[in-house]
Amino acid sequence: MPAPLPHEHLPSVPALTVESDDVQHEERLSERHVFNDWGMQGENLSPHLRWSGAPAETRSYAVTCYDPDAPTGSGFWHWVLFDLPASVTELPTAAGTAPDFKGLPEGAVHARNDYGIKAYGGSAPPPGDPHRYVFTVHALGVDKLGVDSDASPAVVGFNITANTLARGHVIAYYGV
């Protein structure tokens, strides 16, 4: 039985619509979004994402990418981005990609992911069954999450969950 998805154990909230020009729901992740290290040779570009349907009281957004199938006992956080202004409803390809962060809005904050970097880190599963990559957008009821970029993904996730008004996701697969 596959590991539960991160939103399956969270309190129920209304759904956002999340779409991508780069990631098709339940399809294989492109090499453009695969890590360029750990034996992988991808481009490590964060994917384009757009969302709609947020409640009127939304004050900011967070974007995460999580692999629940990583052989760690706790999954693997690939992207932890928060404090996106409520006026932002789309991120271009490479917005989360270091060092340029092209198209990332001012004030947005990257927390350190499980690679140990403050940026998007693409998929890099070990050989075997494909892993799921859950790209989630969280509509939040606060302007600022109240944590800094050195917070762990678990601490950021705790604060995201405590302030989530709505969430939506797109899930891609990747394996070698």
Side-chain angles (χ1 to χ4, degrees):
M1 179 172 192
L5 297 173
H7 62 278
E8 292 176 338
H9 65 277
L10 298 175
S12 180
V13 294
L16 291 176
T17 298
V18 178
E19 300 171 303
S20 175
D21 293 344
D22 296 331
V23 177
Q24 303 308 309
H25 188 63
E26 297 187 354
E27 297 291 332
R28 181 178 167 84
L29 195 63
S30 162
E31 297 294 323
R32 296 182 74 208
H33 312 295
V34 171
F35 202 51
N36 189 17
D37 201 348
W38 291 24
M40 308 302 282
Q41 296 181 346
E43 294 180 48
N44 201 46
L45 299 175
S46 64
H48 164 268
L49 294 172
R50 81 178 146 272
W51 53 93
S52 60
E57 60 271 21
T58 298
R59 295 171 55 193
S60 68
Y61 293 99
V63 174
T64 59
C65 178
Y66 177 73
D67 172 1
D69 304 314
T72 64
S74 60
F76 197 94
W77 290 98
H78 289 264
W79 198 11
V80 183
L81 176 65
F82 58 94
D83 289 353
L84 292 162
S87 61
V88 173
T89 58
E90 187 168 12
L91 292 174
T93 304
T97 303
D100 300 328
F101 301 110
K102 294 178 184 174
L104 192 65
E106 189 173 329
V109 178
H110 274 109
R112 193 172 309 282
N113 62 26
D114 284 338
Y115 287 116
I117 59 175
K118 294 178 183 179
Y120 169 80
S123 61
D129 291 334
H131 288 210
R132 296 169 290 172
Y133 296 88
V134 184
F135 293 89
T136 305
V137 177
H138 313 261
L140 305 176
V142 293
D143 292 321
K144 300 288 182 186
L145 205 52
V147 296
D148 67 26
S149 64
D150 289 323
S152 70
V155 168
V156 176
F158 177 86
N159 284 278
I160 287 173
T161 300
N163 292 288
T164 295
L165 303 172
R167 82 175 64 85
H169 62 266
V170 60
I171 302 170
Y173 294 86
Y174 188 81
V176 291

